[in-house]
Amino acid sequence: MQLPDDQIRAGHIPADLYRQIPPGTDMRRVVIVQQAPRSYKGPIILTLVVLTGSVAVLLVIAFVVQVVAGAAVAVLSATGGLSYTISRTSKRKNLRSK
């Protein structure tokens, strides 16, 4: 019985707790309640769920923005409201105009 927890489990009452018990108390009826050790499993799982959800929401938003942008370009180009042309001028034409 090296650890204090082992002593409490064996029925030994530590001196600091023994002094707090009122005189005349039947020691056979004294129950010492220990606080359970803290578990970090819940907060870790909650953090992982929040991070996974955030990444999923960002991916959905990126996909929706891409689809909306593609649809807007398709509608505008089909209606003639948007056109894109590539104009390449050669160096020879620029030299002749001078």
Side-chain angles (χ1 to χ4, degrees):
M1 290 194 309
Q2 297 296 325
L3 301 174
D5 292 343
D6 295 337
Q7 293 176 352
I8 290 176
R9 285 191 200 102
H12 173 75
I13 299 174
D16 59 333
L17 292 177
Y18 189 76
R19 288 188 208 109
Q20 296 175 7
I21 297 173
T25 304
D26 185 10
M27 296 307 290
R28 294 175 294 185
R29 295 180 177 237
V30 173
V31 177
I32 298 174
V33 179
Q34 288 181 307
Q35 184 177 3
R38 180 171 170 96
S39 172
Y40 292 99
K41 185 170 73 170
I44 290 172
I45 291 175
L46 179 64
T47 303
L48 291 174
V49 167
V50 167
L51 287 175
T52 305
S54 300
V55 169
V57 167
L58 289 175
L59 287 174
V60 168
I61 289 173
F63 180 73
V64 169
V65 167
Q66 181 182 5
V67 169
V68 168
V73 168
V75 167
L76 288 174
S77 64
T79 59
L82 178 70
S83 63
Y84 182 73
T85 58
I86 299 175
S87 176
R88 293 184 61 190
T89 58
S90 66
K91 293 181 181 179
R92 293 180 184 167
K93 288 183 181 178
N94 288 339
L95 291 176
R96 290 181 192 167
S97 62
K98 289 184 180 182

